[in-house]
């Protein structure tokens, strides 16, 4: 698969690589799983050697053995004796950095918490003492936001303030998805919506669909719903370990959100338990959901809804997790029928998200969101503000153009536009044809 659209991130890595000729540089690279962190880190932006350490779930001694073999192979050095502690290994790397210039990538850096938390203190001590005498670009990659932010942004942690550059890698933009489809002679407005819905711009999913030559809805669903498909286990593989023994409650919450039960009160009435702590952790620690407030809401407003950030995870909870019994019965054709039957209702929200992403890419609005009043009255799909030019864009979004009503949209906006006196108001009716 061709490497798409990471020019800004590559520019940061190139800059850091150049600066390591003066002193050692540390870069934090974080992003959700499957988004392409490792691929980015391993791009050819440096003329020097690159070491790659993956922190798997092994004991420290086994990891050190693997890492030592990588050092010997990539830097063409000899290592006398065995090293069983990462502190000793990192000290050896630092010594090598005094005579050699190279990049060290440590993938899943947050996993050291499970293996030996003191490793972060060891890195901090050796880094602080030697960074001005060495020429190493240390890239630490992580997919657990809460732990990576704790490592670098909690002032009680040893590596607080140590990174010189930070890259928060996001999924590929809608314009890039359009480019990919065009490259494979598969672009249409319908395909773009479906490709966005089922990948969300996440590189791994895009790669798998390209591998299977799946670019339209039917072929993508066939790729997802087949025996031994990695997509069928994706939600479990990504989340069960992070959630631990409480994964059942988290999965129930995410399943309800994916099925349009998006308010805390709705979810609590079904689960019959207080979930405020779970929602906070899903948003702030795991970065799996986000809260959405009306565009004009005050910061302390309690009027809010929740949505799953990752498009494919939303699909997975709505159609894979919900119908797990059908998968266990290996009735894949039945599941495909259900998906085809219900997908159009599910798609509508993602058409809104797609238009929001396109508006963001234009970079002409100062704020973009949605609007509703108490009890979900007068819902408006997209509201975009330009506070500089004093413009207000109000949009209704439907899959079918026939279901759009200009008069209804104007009526729903009456209370909203009173808050933006002096703004030039524009109304838009958007359907698939407007992508």
């Amino acid at each position: 698969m061709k490497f798409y659209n990471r020019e800004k991130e590559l520019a940061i890595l190139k800059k850091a690589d150049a600066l390591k000729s003066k002193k050692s540089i540390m870069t934090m690279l974080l992003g959700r799983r499957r988004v392409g962190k490792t691929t980015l880190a391993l791009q050819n932006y440096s003329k020097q050697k690159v070491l790659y350490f993956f922190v798997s779930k092994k004991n420290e001694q086994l990891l050190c053995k693997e890492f030592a073999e990588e050092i010997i192979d990539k830097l063409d050095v000899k290592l006398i004796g065995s090293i069983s502690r990462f502190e000793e290994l990192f000290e050896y790397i630092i010594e090598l950095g005094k005579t050699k210039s190279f990049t060290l990538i440590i993938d899943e850096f947050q996993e050291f918490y499970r293996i030996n938390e003191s490793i972060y203190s060891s890195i901090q001590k050796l880094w602080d003492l030697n960074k001005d005498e060495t020429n190493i670009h240390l890239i630490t990659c992580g997919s657990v936001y809460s732990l990576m932010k704790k490592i670098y942004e909690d002032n009680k942690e040893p590596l607080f303030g140590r990174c010189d550059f930070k890259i928060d890698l996001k999924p590929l933009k809608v314009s890039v998805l359009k480019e990919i489809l065009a490259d494979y002679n598969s672009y249409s407005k319908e395909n773009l919506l479906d490709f966005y819905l089922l990948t969300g711009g996440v590189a791994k999913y895009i790669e798998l669909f390209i591998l299977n030559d799946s670019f339209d809805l039917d072929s993508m669903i066939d790729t997802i719903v087949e025996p031994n498909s990695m997509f069928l286990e994706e939600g479990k593989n990504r989340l069960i370990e992070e959630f631990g023994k409480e994964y059942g409650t988290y999965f129930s919450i995410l399943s309800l959100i994916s099925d349009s039960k998006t308010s805390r009160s709705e979810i609590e009435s079904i689960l019959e338990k207080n979930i405020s702590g779970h929602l906070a952790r899903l948003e702030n620690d795991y970065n799996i959901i986000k809260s959405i407030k009306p565009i004009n809401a005050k910061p302390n407003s309690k009027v809010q809804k929740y949505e799953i950030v990752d498009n494919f995870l939303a699909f997975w909870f709505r159609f894979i997790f919900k119908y797990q019994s059908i998968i266990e019965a290996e009735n894949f054709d039945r599941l495909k029928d259900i998906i085809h039957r219900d997908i159009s209702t599910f798609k509508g929200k993602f058409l809104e998200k797609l238009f929001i992403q396109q508006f963001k890419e234009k970079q002409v609005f100062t704020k973009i969101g949605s609007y509703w009043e108490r009890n979900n009255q007068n819902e408006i799909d997209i509201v975009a503000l330009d506070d500089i030019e004093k413009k207000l864009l109000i949009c209704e979004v439907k899959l079918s153009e026939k279901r759009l009503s200009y008069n209804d949209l104007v009526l729903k906006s009456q209370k909203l536009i009173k808050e933006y006196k002096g703004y030039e108001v524009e109304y838009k009716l958007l359907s698939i044809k407007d992508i």
Side-chain angles (χ1 to χ4, degrees), residues 99-343:
T99 56
K100 297 175 181 287
S101 180
F102 57 88
T103 294
L104 168 61
I105 301 165
I106 305 180
D107 207 347
E108 298 300 348
F109 188 60
Q110 77 282 338
E111 290 301 316
F112 281 137
Y113 268 118
R114 304 174 192 268
I115 295 161
N116 180 357
E117 191 175 333
S118 69
I119 286 172
Y120 300 112
S121 296
S122 301
I123 292 173
Q124 176 256 316
K125 177 185 69 176
L126 291 164
W127 189 261
D128 287 353
L129 288 173
N130 297 282
K131 64 182 179 181
D132 293 330
E133 306 168 38
T134 51
N135 305 107
I136 301 168
H137 182 198
L138 173 59
I139 303 174
T140 59
C141 304
S143 54
V144 181
Y145 274 78
S146 57
L147 292 181
M148 288 297 287
K149 288 188 174 183
K150 180 182 178 183
I151 290 166
Y152 285 107
E153 297 176 11
D154 185 336
N155 59 15
K156 296 178 182 177
E157 294 296 309
L159 289 175
F160 171 73
R162 293 310 191 280
C163 69
D164 301 286
F165 296 95
K166 174 183 174 181
I167 299 173
D168 188 349
L169 196 62
K170 302 295 185 184
L172 296 170
K173 295 178 180 180
V174 173
S175 58
V176 181
L177 300 185
K178 182 177 179 180
E179 180 187 348
I180 292 169
L181 289 172
D183 284 350
Y184 290 89
N185 300 313
S186 299
Y187 175 75
S188 71
K189 293 179 178 182
E190 290 79 8
N191 282 359
L192 178 58
L193 173 58
D194 295 333
F195 205 58
Y196 172 70
L197 164 66
L198 292 174
T199 69
V202 173
K204 183 63 177 178
Y205 306 146
I206 293 168
E207 183 182 355
L208 287 168
F209 285 134
I210 289 174
L211 183 65
N212 287 278
D213 199 27
S214 301
F215 301 105
D216 61 87
L217 184 62
D218 288 349
S219 62
M220 285 190 285
I221 290 174
D222 286 344
T223 297
I224 292 169
V225 184
E226 64 178 5
N228 304 313
S229 165
M230 66 83 66
F231 287 106
L232 296 179
E233 297 294 318
E234 178 67 353
K236 292 179 182 178
N237 291 340
R238 280 181 59 179
L239 301 177
I240 282 181
E241 187 175 345
E242 285 198 42
F243 293 157
K245 61 183 180 181
E246 278 200 275
Y247 82 87
T249 300
Y250 286 115
F251 273 40
S252 296
I253 292 169
L254 292 169
S255 182
L256 289 169
I257 292 174
S258 73
D259 206 14
S260 300
K261 308 296 188 295
T262 56
S263 71
R264 175 183 161 186
S265 59
E266 283 181 294
I267 299 168
E268 288 184 337
S269 68
I270 295 169
L271 297 183
E272 298 182 337
K273 65 188 295 184
N274 184 301
I275 57 158
S276 58
H278 293 82
L279 290 172
R281 286 188 287 276
L282 281 169
E283 181 170 17
N284 302 318
D285 294 348
Y286 301 119
N287 198 42
I288 290 169
I289 65 172
K290 67 176 180 180
S291 55
I292 301 168
K293 296 182 179 183
I295 196 165
N296 63 333
K298 293 179 171 55
N300 59 351
S301 171
K302 293 184 179 180
V303 179
Q304 61 184 10
K305 300 176 182 179
Y306 293 92
E307 72 173 27
I308 297 173
V309 174
D310 185 297
N311 289 10
F312 180 79
L313 277 184
F315 172 87
W316 189 88
F317 277 102
R318 175 63 180 82
F319 292 106
I320 307 300
F321 178 71
K322 183 176 182 178
Y323 296 107
Q324 197 65 44
S325 60
I326 294 177
I327 295 169
E328 290 172 2
E330 298 183 4
N331 195 349
F332 299 109
D333 288 339
R334 175 65 176 144
L335 180 56
K336 289 178 187 178
D337 290 341
I338 292 171
I339 295 171
H340 283 294
R341 181 193 72 194
D342 297 339
I343 194 74

Side-chain angles (χ1 to χ4, degrees), residues 363-378:
Q363 296 189 329
V364 297
F365 299 106
T366 54
K367 191 175 184 182
I368 304 172
S370 55
Y371 173 80
W372 68 94
E373 296 161 15
R374 287 197 175 275
N375 301 317
N376 291 328
Q377 295 298 305
N378 294 321

Side-chain angles (χ1 to χ4, degrees), residues 22 50 73 310 312 335 338 344 352 396 408:
K22 300 178 180 178
V50 176
D73 178 54
D310 185 297
F312 180 79
L335 180 56
I338 292 171
S344 62
E352 292 174 29
E396 182 81 1
D408 287 349

Side-chain angles (χ1 to χ4, degrees), residues 56-72:
S56 54
K57 295 169 180 62
K58 298 178 180 178
N59 68 35
E60 190 173 351
Q61 186 172 358
L62 287 175
L63 283 177
C64 287
K65 182 180 178 182
E66 287 182 11
F67 298 162
E69 290 172 357
E70 173 77 354
I71 294 168
I72 293 167

